[in-house]
Amino acid sequence: MSVGCEKTIDMTRGEPLGLIVRFSLPLLVGNAFQQLYNMVDSWVVGKFVGTTALAAVGIAFPVVFLLSSLFIGLSIGASVMIAQFIGSEDKDAVRRGVNTVYGAFMVSIVPLTIFGLVIAGPMLRLIQVPENVYAQAHIYLLVVFAGIIGSLGYNINAGILQGLGDSRTPLLFLAVACVINTVLDLVFVLVLHWDVFGVAFATIIAQISSWLFGIRYVNRKYHDFSIQPFRLAVEKRLLRRVLRLGVPSGIQQCQLAVAILVLQALINSFGEQFAAGFSAANKIDTFAFMPIDSFALAVTTYVGQNVGAGQMDRVKNGVRKALVLCIVVCAVMSALVVPNGALFLSIFSSDPAVIQAGQAYLVRVLSTMVLLAIMYPLNNALRGAGAVVTPMVSNIVALWAARVPAAYLLAHFYGKEALYWSYPIGWVLGILISGTVYLRGRWKRVCTAARITE
């Protein structure tokens, strides 16, 4: 089905693995830009401001993620719904779906921004931020929350386009943001000496620029629909469908953010250098996992389009091949990063204690990340089919029944570095839940019924 742009990919025809790889490559480059974007912030403050600033930026991330999580769910819901409309070749539904998603976004953004500004300080106190880090983390949060419309707007744009089968255009938006952010980081910190405030201000300028550029670009390139952010044309039936598909993902993201905050409180209790090491290692970990994340996102669109077209055999074939691909690539990435962890960590800090703390994370988490490479594609396959409750349950149980309690117990009995073994413990439990549901196949009947009735 054509939606007015040659960049869209019809994933209902052709060899599944080739389609998934082709769709995921722009996502991979985009993720690289996204992580480069985030890593530049950490590199600039770590190298030119200090360990305290590096810890402040790292500590602030899960608070921002918590506030953003429900809108990340909305973008996922939009992507799945639009992919299913594309599979069923309903152009009018695509247009009305885009209008509905943007209307809901624009109505919600002002109260969300105010809420973020109000909770910034209390949230930092709640997670026991060290006193010498608190002031800089608070400044960073206030600035980022004030301009959060840019980050959330980008995610909405990307979700819509990925549902259409276009994974290339969001890459342009990220490239714009990355270039602007890098230049402004250096100017604001090295020239104007604005330190953490400068990094945060550069971030929101880059994100808002990327969001607005995205709206203009989409409206020029796509002829079957346009993004009209101030039209507020919300259809209740379509909004309910987006929420049905997106709210479980949003809840999953939200509880993940809460779990990160709970773990961050534990990490913060071991001091500034341990927190800075975790922050740096987490950036490297995210960078190493990018290929798997990109393949999994491609699986969501692949499954969504094929479910919309009623081609369940293609769904099974594509998911199986995607799992093998993810496992192999993840094993390679772990083998490359773990032995060279200290070298990568030295990019962010030359403090031996920070490097040692970061290495403790990389050895325990990256060496077992192949488990996450199984869990992620399975959850995204179920999500793309519209069976969105299972991924939510899988992640909630994996976090709250395994990772969080295991982290505190391991830290108490075996020391602070042992807490990172809680990650693979949680992933095993998540695989058991998602894998069992996927293999039993009941989700096929649920998503088929939803496709017929809606």
Side-chain angles (χ1 to χ4, degrees), residues 28 31 288-298 325-331 333 369 372-374 376-377 380:
L28 177 57
N31 276 338
F289 191 68
M290 282 191 314
I292 314 306
D293 190 30
S294 302
F295 297 145
L297 285 172
L325 177 65
C326 288
I327 291 169
V328 171
V329 172
C330 187
M333 292 299 294
M369 197 169 61
L372 190 57
I374 299 172
Y376 237 61
N380 278 271

mmCIF file of all heavy atoms in Angstrom, residues 28 31 288-298 325-331 333 369 372-374 376-377 380:
data_model
loop_
_atom_site.group_PDB
_atom_site.id
_atom_site.type_symbol
_atom_site.label_atom_id
_atom_site.label_comp_id
_atom_site.label_asym_id
_atom_site.label_seq_id
_atom_site.Cartn_x
_atom_site.Cartn_y
_atom_site.Cartn_z
ATOM 1 N N LEU A 28 18.633 1.685 13.436
ATOM 2 C CA LEU A 28 19.927 1.495 14.093
ATOM 3 C C LEU A 28 20.771 2.764 14.006
ATOM 4 O O LEU A 28 21.350 3.213 14.999
ATOM 5 C CB LEU A 28 20.672 0.325 13.442
ATOM 6 C CG LEU A 28 22.082 0.031 13.967
ATOM 7 C CD1 LEU A 28 22.050 -0.236 15.465
ATOM 8 C CD2 LEU A 28 22.680 -1.145 13.215
ATOM 9 N N ASN A 31 19.187 5.236 16.282
ATOM 10 C CA ASN A 31 19.532 4.956 17.677
ATOM 11 C C ASN A 31 20.962 5.384 17.977
ATOM 12 O O ASN A 31 21.269 5.840 19.081
ATOM 13 C CB ASN A 31 19.360 3.465 17.976
ATOM 14 C CG ASN A 31 17.942 3.098 18.323
ATOM 15 O OD1 ASN A 31 17.162 3.950 18.739
ATOM 16 N ND2 ASN A 31 17.576 1.847 18.115
ATOM 17 N N ALA A 288 25.566 -0.509 23.109
ATOM 18 C CA ALA A 288 25.803 -1.888 22.680
ATOM 19 C C ALA A 288 24.505 -2.612 22.332
ATOM 20 O O ALA A 288 24.483 -3.494 21.466
ATOM 21 C CB ALA A 288 26.541 -2.653 23.783
ATOM 22 N N PHE A 289 23.423 -2.227 23.001
ATOM 23 C CA PHE A 289 22.141 -2.906 22.773
ATOM 24 C C PHE A 289 21.366 -2.324 21.593
ATOM 25 O O PHE A 289 20.341 -2.863 21.199
ATOM 26 C CB PHE A 289 21.286 -2.818 24.057
ATOM 27 C CG PHE A 289 20.072 -3.694 24.015
ATOM 28 C CD1 PHE A 289 20.195 -5.074 24.025
ATOM 29 C CD2 PHE A 289 18.795 -3.149 23.965
ATOM 30 C CE1 PHE A 289 19.082 -5.890 23.982
ATOM 31 C CE2 PHE A 289 17.678 -3.962 23.926
ATOM 32 C CZ PHE A 289 17.814 -5.337 23.943
ATOM 33 N N MET A 290 21.863 -1.256 21.002
ATOM 34 C CA MET A 290 21.143 -0.582 19.922
ATOM 35 C C MET A 290 20.714 -1.506 18.783
ATOM 36 O O MET A 290 19.578 -1.410 18.315
ATOM 37 C CB MET A 290 21.985 0.558 19.352
ATOM 38 C CG MET A 290 21.996 1.798 20.185
ATOM 39 S SD MET A 290 22.755 3.163 19.281
ATOM 40 C CE MET A 290 24.217 2.383 18.610
ATOM 41 N N PRO A 291 21.576 -2.393 18.278
ATOM 42 C CA PRO A 291 21.114 -3.245 17.181
ATOM 43 C C PRO A 291 19.897 -4.087 17.559
ATOM 44 O O PRO A 291 18.960 -4.221 16.769
ATOM 45 C CB PRO A 291 22.331 -4.129 16.885
ATOM 46 C CG PRO A 291 23.496 -3.355 17.385
ATOM 47 C CD PRO A 291 22.998 -2.632 18.596
ATOM 48 N N ILE A 292 19.901 -4.635 18.773
ATOM 49 C CA ILE A 292 18.777 -5.465 19.205
ATOM 50 C C ILE A 292 17.509 -4.632 19.339
ATOM 51 O O ILE A 292 16.423 -5.045 18.928
ATOM 52 C CB ILE A 292 19.091 -6.155 20.556
ATOM 53 C CG1 ILE A 292 20.491 -6.753 20.544
ATOM 54 C CG2 ILE A 292 18.044 -7.206 20.880
ATOM 55 C CD1 ILE A 292 20.769 -7.677 19.402
ATOM 56 N N ASP A 293 17.649 -3.451 19.894
ATOM 57 C CA ASP A 293 16.513 -2.547 20.029
ATOM 58 C C ASP A 293 15.922 -2.222 18.654
ATOM 59 O O ASP A 293 14.697 -2.209 18.469
ATOM 60 C CB ASP A 293 16.971 -1.271 20.736
ATOM 61 C CG ASP A 293 15.821 -0.369 21.129
ATOM 62 O OD1 ASP A 293 14.726 -0.889 21.396
ATOM 63 O OD2 ASP A 293 16.008 0.849 21.171
ATOM 64 N N SER A 294 16.779 -1.986 17.678
ATOM 65 C CA SER A 294 16.320 -1.650 16.326
ATOM 66 C C SER A 294 15.617 -2.833 15.669
ATOM 67 O O SER A 294 14.565 -2.670 15.035
ATOM 68 C CB SER A 294 17.512 -1.209 15.469
ATOM 69 O OG SER A 294 18.164 -0.112 16.044
ATOM 70 N N PHE A 295 16.191 -4.034 15.800
ATOM 71 C CA PHE A 295 15.543 -5.212 15.232
ATOM 72 C C PHE A 295 14.183 -5.448 15.877
ATOM 73 O O PHE A 295 13.206 -5.805 15.207
ATOM 74 C CB PHE A 295 16.426 -6.454 15.422
ATOM 75 C CG PHE A 295 17.746 -6.394 14.718
ATOM 76 C CD1 PHE A 295 18.877 -6.961 15.283
ATOM 77 C CD2 PHE A 295 17.874 -5.759 13.494
ATOM 78 C CE1 PHE A 295 20.104 -6.915 14.635
ATOM 79 C CE2 PHE A 295 19.104 -5.702 12.833
ATOM 80 C CZ PHE A 295 20.220 -6.282 13.415
ATOM 81 N N ALA A 296 14.110 -5.257 17.206
ATOM 82 C CA ALA A 296 12.851 -5.484 17.920
ATOM 83 C C ALA A 296 11.778 -4.487 17.481
ATOM 84 O O ALA A 296 10.605 -4.847 17.318
ATOM 85 C CB ALA A 296 13.077 -5.408 19.429
ATOM 86 N N LEU A 297 12.153 -3.226 17.295
ATOM 87 C CA LEU A 297 11.196 -2.237 16.797
ATOM 88 C C LEU A 297 10.711 -2.608 15.405
ATOM 89 O O LEU A 297 9.526 -2.432 15.073
ATOM 90 C CB LEU A 297 11.835 -0.849 16.789
ATOM 91 C CG LEU A 297 11.991 -0.164 18.137
ATOM 92 C CD1 LEU A 297 12.819 1.105 17.999
ATOM 93 C CD2 LEU A 297 10.622 0.171 18.741
ATOM 94 N N ALA A 298 11.603 -3.119 14.580
ATOM 95 C CA ALA A 298 11.214 -3.561 13.243
ATOM 96 C C ALA A 298 10.216 -4.720 13.329
ATOM 97 O O ALA A 298 9.271 -4.800 12.523
ATOM 98 C CB ALA A 298 12.442 -3.983 12.446
ATOM 99 N N LEU A 325 18.651 -13.670 14.691
ATOM 100 C CA LEU A 325 19.471 -12.501 14.374
ATOM 101 C C LEU A 325 19.859 -11.742 15.640
ATOM 102 O O LEU A 325 21.022 -11.360 15.826
ATOM 103 C CB LEU A 325 18.699 -11.590 13.418
ATOM 104 C CG LEU A 325 19.377 -10.269 13.031
ATOM 105 C CD1 LEU A 325 20.649 -10.536 12.236
ATOM 106 C CD2 LEU A 325 18.412 -9.401 12.228
ATOM 107 N N CYS A 326 18.887 -11.500 16.520
ATOM 108 C CA CYS A 326 19.151 -10.746 17.744
ATOM 109 C C CYS A 326 20.152 -11.455 18.643
ATOM 110 O O CYS A 326 21.050 -10.820 19.211
ATOM 111 C CB CYS A 326 17.835 -10.512 18.504
ATOM 112 S SG CYS A 326 16.731 -9.305 17.737
ATOM 113 N N ILE A 327 20.016 -12.758 18.779
ATOM 114 C CA ILE A 327 20.912 -13.519 19.653
ATOM 115 C C ILE A 327 22.350 -13.453 19.138
ATOM 116 O O ILE A 327 23.300 -13.215 19.904
ATOM 117 C CB ILE A 327 20.434 -14.979 19.760
ATOM 118 C CG1 ILE A 327 19.114 -15.049 20.552
ATOM 119 C CG2 ILE A 327 21.496 -15.850 20.428
ATOM 120 C CD1 ILE A 327 18.437 -16.398 20.492
ATOM 121 N N VAL A 328 22.525 -13.652 17.846
ATOM 122 C CA VAL A 328 23.866 -13.648 17.262
ATOM 123 C C VAL A 328 24.517 -12.263 17.394
ATOM 124 O O VAL A 328 25.673 -12.145 17.829
ATOM 125 C CB VAL A 328 23.809 -14.073 15.781
ATOM 126 C CG1 VAL A 328 25.165 -13.858 15.111
ATOM 127 C CG2 VAL A 328 23.390 -15.535 15.666
ATOM 128 N N VAL A 329 23.784 -11.230 17.034
ATOM 129 C CA VAL A 329 24.341 -9.881 17.086
ATOM 130 C C VAL A 329 24.667 -9.477 18.523
ATOM 131 O O VAL A 329 25.699 -8.855 18.792
ATOM 132 C CB VAL A 329 23.374 -8.872 16.438
ATOM 133 C CG1 VAL A 329 23.844 -7.441 16.665
ATOM 134 C CG2 VAL A 329 23.247 -9.143 14.943
ATOM 135 N N CYS A 330 23.797 -9.833 19.462
ATOM 136 C CA CYS A 330 24.032 -9.482 20.860
ATOM 137 C C CYS A 330 25.286 -10.176 21.397
ATOM 138 O O CYS A 330 26.075 -9.574 22.125
ATOM 139 C CB CYS A 330 22.812 -9.863 21.700
ATOM 140 S SG CYS A 330 22.919 -9.282 23.393
ATOM 141 N N ALA A 331 25.476 -11.440 21.036
ATOM 142 C CA ALA A 331 26.672 -12.165 21.480
ATOM 143 C C ALA A 331 27.937 -11.496 20.958
ATOM 144 O O ALA A 331 28.944 -11.360 21.672
ATOM 145 C CB ALA A 331 26.597 -13.616 21.012
ATOM 146 N N MET A 333 28.277 -8.248 20.095
ATOM 147 C CA MET A 333 28.449 -6.965 20.767
ATOM 148 C C MET A 333 29.017 -7.151 22.174
ATOM 149 O O MET A 333 29.917 -6.412 22.599
ATOM 150 C CB MET A 333 27.119 -6.221 20.834
ATOM 151 C CG MET A 333 26.583 -5.752 19.493
ATOM 152 S SD MET A 333 27.699 -4.597 18.649
ATOM 153 C CE MET A 333 27.644 -3.200 19.769
ATOM 154 N N MET A 369 23.571 -10.220 28.450
ATOM 155 C CA MET A 369 22.553 -9.464 27.732
ATOM 156 C C MET A 369 21.881 -10.274 26.627
ATOM 157 O O MET A 369 20.843 -9.881 26.096
ATOM 158 C CB MET A 369 23.156 -8.186 27.156
ATOM 159 C CG MET A 369 22.135 -7.153 26.747
ATOM 160 S SD MET A 369 22.896 -5.544 26.358
ATOM 161 C CE MET A 369 23.970 -5.975 24.994
ATOM 162 N N LEU A 372 18.278 -10.707 27.254
ATOM 163 C CA LEU A 372 17.415 -9.601 26.854
ATOM 164 C C LEU A 372 17.176 -9.621 25.351
ATOM 165 O O LEU A 372 16.122 -9.190 24.874
ATOM 166 C CB LEU A 372 18.050 -8.273 27.274
ATOM 167 C CG LEU A 372 17.187 -7.016 27.148
ATOM 168 C CD1 LEU A 372 15.894 -7.141 27.931
ATOM 169 C CD2 LEU A 372 17.967 -5.786 27.597
ATOM 170 N N ALA A 373 18.138 -10.159 24.593
ATOM 171 C CA ALA A 373 17.986 -10.271 23.147
ATOM 172 C C ALA A 373 16.943 -11.306 22.754
ATOM 173 O O ALA A 373 16.493 -11.339 21.608
ATOM 174 C CB ALA A 373 19.331 -10.624 22.508
ATOM 175 N N ILE A 374 16.555 -12.166 23.677
ATOM 176 C CA ILE A 374 15.446 -13.094 23.459
ATOM 177 C C ILE A 374 14.131 -12.463 23.907
ATOM 178 O O ILE A 374 13.115 -12.507 23.197
ATOM 179 C CB ILE A 374 15.684 -14.410 24.228
ATOM 180 C CG1 ILE A 374 16.961 -15.088 23.728
ATOM 181 C CG2 ILE A 374 14.486 -15.344 24.090
ATOM 182 C CD1 ILE A 374 17.385 -16.286 24.569
ATOM 183 N N TYR A 376 13.259 -9.258 24.295
ATOM 184 C CA TYR A 376 12.833 -8.052 23.583
ATOM 185 C C TYR A 376 12.046 -8.356 22.315
ATOM 186 O O TYR A 376 10.948 -7.825 22.115
ATOM 187 C CB TYR A 376 14.066 -7.196 23.269
ATOM 188 C CG TYR A 376 13.992 -5.790 23.822
ATOM 189 C CD1 TYR A 376 13.879 -5.582 25.186
ATOM 190 C CD2 TYR A 376 14.054 -4.685 22.991
ATOM 191 C CE1 TYR A 376 13.835 -4.297 25.703
ATOM 192 C CE2 TYR A 376 14.010 -3.397 23.493
ATOM 193 C CZ TYR A 376 13.895 -3.209 24.848
ATOM 194 O OH TYR A 376 13.838 -1.933 25.351
ATOM 195 N N PRO A 377 12.565 -9.178 21.390
ATOM 196 C CA PRO A 377 11.800 -9.466 20.181
ATOM 197 C C PRO A 377 10.469 -10.170 20.452
ATOM 198 O O PRO A 377 9.475 -9.905 19.772
ATOM 199 C CB PRO A 377 12.735 -10.358 19.365
ATOM 200 C CG PRO A 377 14.092 -10.080 19.885
ATOM 201 C CD PRO A 377 13.908 -9.781 21.339
ATOM 202 N N ASN A 380 8.030 -7.525 21.596
ATOM 203 C CA ASN A 380 7.643 -6.635 20.505
ATOM 204 C C ASN A 380 6.772 -7.349 19.474
ATOM 205 O O ASN A 380 5.913 -6.720 18.844
ATOM 206 C CB ASN A 380 8.879 -6.030 19.853
ATOM 207 C CG ASN A 380 9.400 -4.825 20.616
ATOM 208 O OD1 ASN A 380 9.002 -3.699 20.375
ATOM 209 N ND2 ASN A 380 10.285 -5.066 21.570
#
